[in-house]
Amino acid sequence: MKKIAILLLICGFCAACPTTSENNSNKPVKTPTVEENKMKNAEIKNADFFANLPEDFAKPTEEVGKRLLKEYGAVFVARGGAIAPKKVIFRDEADVATFQSSVEKTSKTIGNLTIELQTPAMKALKGAMDEAAQNDLTITPRGADSAKRSYAQTVELWASRVDPGLAHWTANGKLKKEDAERIKALSPFEQVPEIFKLEAKGIFFAKDLSKSIIYSVAPPGTSQHLSMLALDVAEFENAAVRKILAKHGWFQTVKSDLPHFTFLGVTENALPNLGLKKISDGGRDFWLPDI
């Protein structure tokens, strides 16, 4: 009788545990929030940003790379199953394609737009969208290029600022025609330091030509959208939406880009331990590398 009782007890525990077949069934599965799926302490080393970068991360030594890491680097300490790139700048389309093909990704059609993100980021977004719907709110992409982007798309955005800027400053006599033509003939990768050198002299390339280009578009190969861990949200002005997104691991990490959210995969109280600092501006909280 004792043996039978023990067997029944063991079977009772087994029946209560979810099996692989149950997880893959057609039954609806509740997407866990970041709070429900907290990260292991071992995955967050300490409050030092550099200590939390991916293993074998190519830490930049040149000034351009250091500046871009400071501006856009929050994505490199993403957790929650996200895989961050191991370099600040992708050199070309092949470099981007190699990374994007190495990670698990999921597509989702929202309204009439289809977006693609790394699978953990998409799961968290779905959880946020479901919670928003329960509160009569929506979370939708801002446009067709709101999530994953190709290298070519970042080049196109870059050129939309650089080309008019070169024409403007040449016409105003601030830039020699031959210098503008030389810069325009360079590869996008080679143009970045040249544009930064001009901006150091007060020759700016943002859309309004009054500030740095990095406050308007990301240089080619540096956009967080290339990592498939970023999303431009149509409802970015709604504080309630921002709060829900943060609950599910999505935070604002680019101070000059208000619709832009980055999947970091942890709760807000864990962000300082990843080496990120909070900068509040206009009622919004942005999380940037503390370097």
Side-chain angles (χ1 to χ4, degrees):
M1 292 296 292
K2 289 182 178 180
K3 290 182 178 180
I4 294 173
I6 291 171
L7 288 171
L8 288 173
L9 183 60
I10 292 173
C11 290
F13 278 122
C14 292
C17 296
T19 64
T20 302
S21 61
E22 286 175 336
N23 287 338
N24 292 330
S25 70
N26 293 323
K27 296 178 181 179
V29 178
K30 182 179 181 293
T31 303
T33 67
V34 176
E35 290 180 353
E36 294 169 336
N37 187 23
K38 290 184 181 296
M39 303 303 301
K40 295 179 180 178
N41 291 333
E43 293 180 345
I44 298 178
K45 297 179 181 179
N46 53 49
D48 180 64
F49 175 75
F50 293 105
N52 283 290
L53 290 170
E55 188 177 354
D56 300 327
F57 184 83
K59 185 178 175 182
T61 56
E62 78 289 353
E63 290 307 310
V64 171
K66 290 179 180 178
R67 183 180 180 187
L68 293 172
L69 181 63
K70 187 174 183 179
E71 294 287 344
Y72 305 133
V75 70
F76 297 115
V77 295
R79 296 296 193 269
I83 296 176
K86 294 186 177 183
K87 60 178 72 176
V88 176
I89 306 175
F90 290 109
R91 190 175 185 91
D92 51 30
E93 191 71 71
D95 204 11
V96 171
T98 297
F99 172 79
Q100 291 183 345
S101 64
S102 72
V103 300
E104 183 182 352
K105 45 196 174 290
T106 300
S107 296
K108 182 175 178 61
T109 300
I110 304 172
N112 61 347
L113 298 173
T114 299
I115 63 170
E116 192 170 17
L117 293 167
Q118 286 195 33
T119 297
M122 187 67 84
K123 286 181 178 178
L125 175 61
K126 184 179 183 304
M129 291 173 61
D130 290 345
E131 183 171 339
Q134 292 170 8
N135 291 276
D136 296 322
L137 297 170
T138 60
I139 298 176
T140 58
R142 202 162 181 239
D145 64 346
S146 290
K148 173 189 175 182
R149 288 179 189 165
S150 65
Y151 182 80
Q153 286 174 304
T154 68
V155 169
E156 184 179 349
L157 288 169
W158 173 258
S160 72
R161 302 293 186 268
V162 170
D163 291 352
L166 291 174
H168 171 82
W169 295 117
T170 301
N172 281 17
K174 294 289 184 70
L175 188 62
K176 293 181 180 179
K177 184 178 180 181
E178 54 267 32
D179 288 335
E181 291 176 348
R182 178 184 61 81
I183 293 172
K184 195 167 183 178
L186 295 173
S187 70
F189 183 86
E190 295 169 325
Q191 280 185 354
V192 177
E194 293 293 328
I195 295 301
F196 281 6
K197 287 177 185 177
L198 290 175
E199 292 193 330
K201 300 176 182 178
I203 301 175
F204 296 113
F205 285 82
K207 190 172 184 178
D208 63 3
L209 302 172
S210 69
K211 54 186 177 291
S212 174
I213 193 170
I214 64 172
Y215 301 123
S216 186
V217 297
T222 68
S223 171
Q224 293 183 354
H225 292 276
L226 297 173
S227 68
M228 296 181 289
L229 295 173
L231 178 70
D232 291 339
V233 177
E235 299 85 355
F236 68 95
E237 293 282 11
N238 191 318
V241 167
R242 297 197 298 271
K243 184 176 180 179
I244 292 173
L245 283 166
K247 182 179 177 182
H248 291 264
W250 285 89
F251 300 92
Q252 293 185 281
T253 67
V254 182
K255 190 178 177 182
S256 59
D257 193 350
L258 299 186
H260 182 101
F261 290 78
T262 309
F263 178 69
L264 298 179
V266 296
T267 52
E268 186 170 350
N269 60 3
L271 295 177
N273 292 328
L274 288 171
L276 301 178
K277 62 181 177 181
K278 181 168 69 174
I279 296 178
S280 298
D281 183 57
R284 294 176 172 82
D285 293 332
F286 300 87
W287 290 91
L288 279 69
D290 190 9
I291 54 178

